[in-house]
């Protein structure tokens, strides 16, 4: 049985640690701006957490892997600032997402929506806890948390 690990990462070691992380791992992020694109995990949930007293700014985007048959992935953000300065933070085709959580985090400067997809997958859990969402641009007077355009629903 796999034992959950806490793995210390820097802006230089983050992407490799993220790729190698196993379900339940917590990547403890040191202060810095994290800007290298990642793919949404499949069949594992990973926590991206700021180290105590660290100022972590996430500017990268998260893409789907375009394989909608892969399921069960999840991401948990804890104590980070998401400052995307683009239309979407998470965008692409996904299978079923197990969880998407934002805790003790600040979400700012996202142009259109937090999560955009065009497939028919489900999200089992989406949660915001003690978060501040501000200065996001709006489309048609609305900032979307989710923007799903699937033929199934049109």
């Amino acid at each position: 049985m796999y034992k959950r690990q806490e793995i210390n990462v820097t802006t230089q070691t983050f992407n490799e640690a993220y790729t190698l992380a196993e379900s339940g791992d917590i990547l403890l992020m040191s202060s810095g701006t994290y800007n290298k694109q990642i793919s949404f995990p499949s069949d594992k949930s990973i926590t991206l957490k700021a180290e105590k007293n660290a100022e972590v700014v996430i500017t990268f985007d998260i893409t789907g892997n375009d394989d909608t048959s892969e399921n069960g992935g999840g991401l948990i953000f804890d104590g980070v600032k998401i400052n995307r300065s683009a239309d979407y933070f998470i965008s692409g085709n996904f299978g079923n997402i197990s969880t998407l959580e934002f805790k003790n985090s600040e979400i700012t400067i996202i142009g259109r929506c937090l999560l955009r997809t065009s497939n028919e997958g489900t999200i089992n859990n989406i949660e915001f806890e003690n978060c501040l969402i501000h200065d996001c641009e709006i489309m048609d007077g609305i900032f979307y948390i989710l923007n799903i355009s699937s033929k199934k629903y049109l």
Side-chain angles (χ1 to χ4, degrees):
M1 185 168 136
Y2 179 77
K3 184 177 183 328
R4 181 182 79 189
Q5 295 185 63
E6 289 187 350
I7 303 164
N8 292 309
V9 298
T10 66
T11 56
Q12 292 80 27
T13 62
F14 171 77
N15 281 72
E16 181 179 5
Y18 179 82
T19 300
L20 297 174
E22 306 230 2
S23 193
D25 281 353
I26 300 168
L27 301 186
L28 292 173
M29 304 168 81
S30 65
S31 290
T33 299
Y34 292 75
N35 57 15
K36 294 181 182 162
Q37 181 182 63
I38 61 173
S39 293
F40 202 89
S42 185
D43 292 324
K44 60 184 176 181
S45 289
I46 301 170
T47 298
L48 307 181
K49 182 176 182 175
E51 290 179 336
K52 186 175 182 175
N53 299 319
E55 292 185 27
V56 173
V57 179
I58 292 175
T59 61
F60 58 70
D61 65 322
I62 301 170
T63 61
N65 56 19
D66 291 329
D67 183 354
T68 58
S69 67
E70 295 192 27
N71 294 305
L75 280 172
I76 301 166
F77 298 89
D78 192 350
V80 300
K81 179 178 183 178
I82 297 166
N83 183 343
R84 180 71 184 106
S85 297
D87 281 346
Y88 310 106
F89 178 51
I90 303 170
S91 181
N93 292 325
F94 308 92
N96 296 327
I97 295 174
S98 66
T99 191
L100 186 57
E101 297 180 27
F102 300 86
K103 300 176 180 181
N104 310 305
S105 294
E106 181 180 355
I107 300 167
T108 186
I109 312 178
I110 297 175
R112 299 177 89 180
C113 68
L114 193 64
L115 170 64
R116 177 183 169 266
T117 186
S118 60
N119 66 299
E120 300 174 5
T122 61
I123 301 174
N124 294 336
N125 180 52
I126 186 166
E127 183 177 327
F128 294 87
E129 178 183 317
N130 194 33
C131 291
L132 177 63
I133 301 173
H134 66 93
D135 295 325
C136 293
E137 293 183 24
I138 55 174
M139 185 175 86
D140 301 328
I142 301 169
F143 170 71
Y144 294 94
I145 299 296
L146 299 174
N147 184 357
I148 301 170
S149 60
S150 170
K151 291 177 185 171
K152 178 179 177 180
Y153 302 107
L154 297 178

